[in-house]
Amino acid sequence: MSTFTDAFGTDPEGVWLAPGRANVIGEHTDYNDGYVLPVALPHRVLASVARRTDGLLRIASVQQPGAVVELPMTEVRAGNPAGWAGYVAGVAEQFDLPGGLSVLVDGDVPAGAGLSSSAAVTCSVALALRDLLRPDLPVDALVDVARRAENDFVGAPTGILDQSASLLCEAGHALFLDTRDRSRQQVPLDLAAAGLALLVVDTGHTHSHADGGYGDRRRECEAAAAALGVPALRDATPADVEGLADDVLRRRARHIVTDNARVLQVVEMLTGGGDPRAIGPVLTAGHVSLRDDFEISTPELDAVVDTALAAGAHGARMVGGGFGGSAIVLVDTEDLEAVTAAVQPAGCAYRTFVVVPSPGAHRVG
Ligand code: GLA
């Protein structure tokens, strides 16, 4: 199943790329109408796509040799097909494809690592179908197509962070996005020029957003906003939050309010011309908040953060939805090797790589 022609016996109409992401700061803020600051990774999904005439949806993956998923377009509905193919089908069903579709995905974004492997799939297919069928569709609508596939088809109640990052990021920049009105700014991020590296450490402990923890946090945030009488926690002040009677809701809301403030602070630091090392302690404060107030870190992620800081990193925090996955570590380039070695637990090797802010989704063939 190494090529589209092997899988389907024809040539693709084109090949589209969509990247995974690392989020610099602003976690779980997206479904609270808040701010985020992701960068696109060089890790990506390539979707090779061709329309069919027999009414079938056929989906194959280079990473799952031999497992072609096939069903009539008329039988595609939320949850069918289940599993990884659902991310493709959930996008396809939103377009007018009576003749059907063949899709081959080829990805190298680590799955379950908090680096948006699923958005890389949905966004690559969404961009392909936009180009082939709906060239008029604005990119914000495409973000919603990809998000609906995840929310309504696969059943993971995510916000728009991952899809926006995959579709809108630019090389050499972080994307400062207001998820309420979708206004955005590309923030130049050339850490190497400042002698810095942003290291990703994938603990290999996987997570799934369709499982309960993520949805629980979302419901708690909505309950906190309702208790405060605000449309979303974006609208709450620190004083409002401290007045919440319920201890759990107070801590969940405190994370959202303080992380929104941390996004604004980091953007100000990165655009203000000062030393980008200054963002390190803000990232670490984000981790403490995710660990203690939002309670979505793990012992493995906490250990990565603690050992990285002890080995001289400027800041570190878990990234993504939580309950496993990866941490990011801001470190001087000259300390990169030592910090990378320090975060490895005895007897096992975590996957590590340095973030290179990469281009968002585009056609490659
Ligand atoms: C996952 C979700 C995003 C966002 C992050 C946490 O990646 O898909 O929408 O909520 O978790 O910031």
Side-chain angles (χ1 to χ4, degrees):
M1 211 69 66
S2 57
T3 69
F4 190 90
T5 319
D6 292 343
F8 304 117
T10 57
D11 289 334
E13 290 182 75
V15 183
W16 286 261
L17 174 156
R21 60 105 189 94
N23 192 20
V24 177
I25 191 77
E27 222 64 89
H28 286 254
T29 47
D30 59 349
Y31 56 81
N32 290 291
D33 277 4
Y35 306 112
V36 291
L37 188 67
V39 296
L41 297 175
H43 306 73
R44 85 296 177 259
V45 164
L46 298 172
S48 307
V49 171
R51 283 165 285 181
R52 304 175 63 89
T53 54
D54 58 4
L56 291 178
L57 176 61
R58 301 192 76 206
I59 308 169
S61 162
V62 173
Q63 283 69 44
Q64 314 262 337
V68 179
V69 174
E70 175 180 308
L71 72 171
M73 278 304 295
T74 51
E75 288 177 17
V76 173
R77 62 184 62 90
N80 186 40
W84 63 274
Y87 293 98
V88 175
V91 171
E93 67 137 17
Q94 297 180 61
F95 288 84
D96 189 24
L97 284 164
L101 190 72
S102 296
V103 180
L104 175 72
V105 293
D106 178 7
D108 64 0
V109 187
L115 303 173
S116 286
S117 58
S118 58
V121 174
T122 55
C123 292
S124 60
V125 178
L127 193 68
L129 295 179
R130 195 274 305 264
D131 285 358
L132 292 175
L133 297 162
R134 294 283 311 278
D136 55 307
L137 213 57
V139 70
D140 284 331
L142 217 51
V143 168
D144 290 327
V145 165
R147 195 247 300 246
R148 276 197 295 272
E150 190 127 7
N151 290 179
D152 303 342
F153 199 97
V154 178
T158 66
I160 59 165
L161 162 64
D162 306 343
Q163 300 79 6
S164 303
S166 190
L167 287 163
L168 293 166
C169 278
E170 290 181 7
H173 293 78
L175 172 75
F176 172 35
L177 176 72
D178 180 338
T179 65
R180 171 167 275 171
D181 67 8
R182 311 261 182 128
S183 59
R184 49 191 175 253
Q185 181 189 340
Q186 301 288 345
V187 177
L189 189 69
D190 188 357
L191 296 173
L196 284 168
L198 192 62
L199 177 72
V200 172
V201 182
D202 174 8
T203 65
H205 291 258
T206 57
H207 70 278
S208 163
H209 291 156
D211 292 340
Y214 186 96
D216 290 345
R217 293 301 177 276
R218 188 164 183 154
R219 277 187 294 279
E220 288 160 355
C221 288
E222 282 160 7
L228 290 170
V230 291
L233 286 180
R234 153 72 174 273
D235 304 300
T237 66
D240 292 340
V241 166
E242 296 312 319
L244 276 168
D246 184 280
D247 174 61
V248 170
L249 297 191
R250 185 169 60 247
R251 287 186 292 118
R252 303 300 187 250
R254 188 190 294 140
H255 166 72
I256 301 303
V257 169
T258 56
D259 229 32
N260 272 329
R262 280 186 283 271
V263 177
L264 299 178
Q265 196 182 353
V266 166
V267 169
E268 204 176 296
M269 286 171 163
L270 290 176
T271 53
D275 185 346
R277 282 167 186 78
I279 73 170
V282 188
L283 303 192
T284 306
H287 183 78
V288 170
S289 177
L290 289 163
R291 184 190 67 197
D292 298 346
D293 282 339
F294 221 59
E295 294 182 288
I296 60 167
S297 188
T298 63
E300 292 81 10
L301 289 164
D302 295 342
V304 168
V305 168
D306 292 345
T307 51
L309 294 173
H314 296 289
R317 69 176 199 85
M318 56 148 286
V319 286
F323 308 101
S326 304
I328 52 170
V329 177
L330 184 71
V331 60
D332 283 326
T333 316
E334 60 186 30
D335 295 335
L336 181 59
E337 214 175 305
V339 169
T340 305
V343 298
Q344 307 288 352
C348 90
Y350 286 161
R351 179 206 308 248
T352 59
F353 60 90
V354 170
V355 171
V356 177
S358 298
H362 57 281
R363 186 174 186 159
V364 290

